[in-house]
Amino acid sequence: MARTILTRTVIDTPAPRPGVSGHILSWGLPFTEMLVNVFAAWTQGKSVVVKPSLRAPLSPVAVALAASGLGFPPGVLNVVQGTGVDVGAALIGSPLLARLHVHANEDTLSRARRAGARSQVPLSTLSAGGNAMLVYPDVSTNLIGKLAAATAAAVRMHSTGGPFGVPIVAVHRAAAPAVLEAIVAQVGAVVAAPLPSQPLRVRAMNRLGLLRAAGGRVLVGGSIPDDIEHRMGWRIPPTVVDLGDADAAAPLLGSAGTPLGPILTVVRWSSHHDLDAIFTAPRHLDGYAGTWGDSLGDERIRFGVLAREQSPLDAAHSGLVPSAWTGEKPARSNGVHR
C-alpha cells in the first residue's frame, strides 16, 4: 500500500511547499494510518510529528524504528507519546506547522477547527464516519454480491473511524430488499475484531440503543452474548440496523453520536436530495465512498473522494487516497476521483 501511495503521489502530485506536518492518530487502524497519512506527507517534502493514540501507541513506533533502520535522517519522523491535553493541544495550537492532520472524535475535531482559525494552519480531518457505501437502483446481482462481501470485510475490521470502515450504506429504495438480504447474510457470518477497551464498547452499545429507541430495526446482531469471548474480549457481534427512509433517518444519524464498533446502519433513498440530507455531518466531508450500480455517470463528489464501484478497501489498495489526507485537490484519472 505504501509503495502504491508513494508512486502515485510522486508521479501525479505537484510538489507543495515543505515544512513540518503534525499528525494526531486514532486507535482504530494506527499502522495503516501511519502508511496512508505519514507517507503522503513525506512525499510532499515534509517532516512529521506524530502523536499516537494512548490506546494504540506502538504502531507508529514500529514504523519509526523501521525508518531509522533504513537510514532516514533524524527529525524526519518524530513520535511523541502523550495525552490530548499536552501533546495533542500543543500540535493543535502550533502556528509553526505547514499542515495539521487530525483523526479523532468530534470534540477534538471541533477544537482543531477553532484553533486553525487563529493559527492559520491548514487542517486535514480524518473523522469517524466519513466512509460510506452508496448503492444506485441499477446495481446488478453480481455487484450486490461483491458489495455485500466488501461491506462484511469492513464491518469485520470494526473501525468505523479508520480508512476502511463503513458505518453506513445508503441504498436506493428499488434495490434495498436484495441488497439488505445479501448484506445480512454476509455480515452475520463474520467475527468482528475486538474494540480496544470496555468504555468504547459501552459507548458503541449506547449508540445502538439510541438507534433502536428511535425506530431502527436490528436485522442481525444487536446484543452481546454472555460468553467468555465477549465478556473478556470487548467484542460486539456484527450488527446491521435498518433505519428506514432518509427523511426519518437523517436527523437520527446526526444525534446518535460518533459511529463505533461493528455496527452498520442502512438508509433508503430515492433522490439526491435524500443523500444530501443523510450526509450533512462534518464527519462525512472527508471520507470516501464506494458507489455501486451508478449508470448515471454524474460521479458527484459527495464525501471528499468518490471511488466508482470500489469498496474502501479496494480503493485504498489501488492507490486511491482521499485528498483530505494529503491536502491536495482531487485529480481525475480514468473516471476515478483521487
Side-chain angles (χ1 to χ4, degrees), residues 62-256:
V63 176
L65 182 62
S68 177
L70 290 171
F72 276 61
V76 172
L77 171 57
N78 309 275
V79 178
V80 184
Q81 305 286 358
T83 67
V85 297
D86 52 16
V87 179
L91 285 174
I92 287 174
S94 174
L96 303 177
L97 297 175
R99 179 165 290 276
L100 175 65
H101 300 256
V102 178
H103 187 186
N105 56 33
E106 297 284 1
D107 292 339
T108 304
L109 291 173
S110 177
R111 288 195 295 270
R113 291 188 179 99
R114 292 197 302 270
R118 298 189 300 271
S119 68
Q120 299 300 306
V121 173
L123 174 65
S124 295
T125 60
L126 288 158
S127 53
N131 303 337
M133 294 286 194
L134 179 59
V135 186
Y136 281 80
D138 298 326
V139 62
S140 66
T141 302
N142 181 50
L143 283 181
I144 289 176
K146 293 180 179 178
L147 161 65
T151 303
V155 171
R156 179 179 60 81
M157 288 187 284
H158 83 77
S159 177
T160 55
F164 304 138
V166 176
I168 182 171
V169 173
V171 56
H172 193 275
R173 290 188 182 94
V179 169
L180 274 173
E181 181 180 1
I183 286 178
V184 168
Q186 293 269 9
V187 170
V190 305
V191 177
L195 290 162
S197 70
Q198 175 63 11
L200 286 175
R201 180 165 70 170
V202 171
R203 283 173 55 192
M205 294 305 293
N206 287 343
R207 180 176 183 272
L208 177 59
L210 291 175
L211 295 174
R212 300 180 77 159
R217 187 165 58 98
V218 175
L219 304 181
V220 66
S223 61
I224 302 175
D226 186 19
D227 56 34
I228 187 67
E229 180 181 15
H230 287 82
R231 285 199 302 271
M232 303 303 293
W234 300 330
R235 292 184 182 275
I236 293 176
T239 300
V240 179
V241 185
D242 182 3
L243 299 182
D245 291 339
D247 53 355
L252 175 58
L253 288 169
S255 62

Side-chain angles (χ1 to χ4, degrees), residues 17-112:
R17 65 189 181 99
V20 179
S21 63
H23 302 258
I24 298 176
L25 306 185
S26 76
W27 52 263
L29 288 172
F31 189 81
T32 303
E33 286 181 29
M34 284 291 293
L35 295 183
V36 299
N37 203 340
V38 171
F39 270 63
W42 279 340
T43 63
Q44 296 178 344
K46 293 182 174 66
S47 297
V48 301
V49 178
V50 179
K51 181 214 168 296
S53 167
L54 290 176
R55 294 188 177 97
L58 296 183
S59 291
V61 174
V63 176
L65 182 62
S68 177
L70 290 171
F72 276 61
V76 172
L77 171 57
N78 309 275
V79 178
V80 184
Q81 305 286 358
T83 67
V85 297
D86 52 16
V87 179
L91 285 174
I92 287 174
S94 174
L96 303 177
L97 297 175
R99 179 165 290 276
L100 175 65
H101 300 256
V102 178
H103 187 186
N105 56 33
E106 297 284 1
D107 292 339
T108 304
L109 291 173
S110 177
R111 288 195 295 270

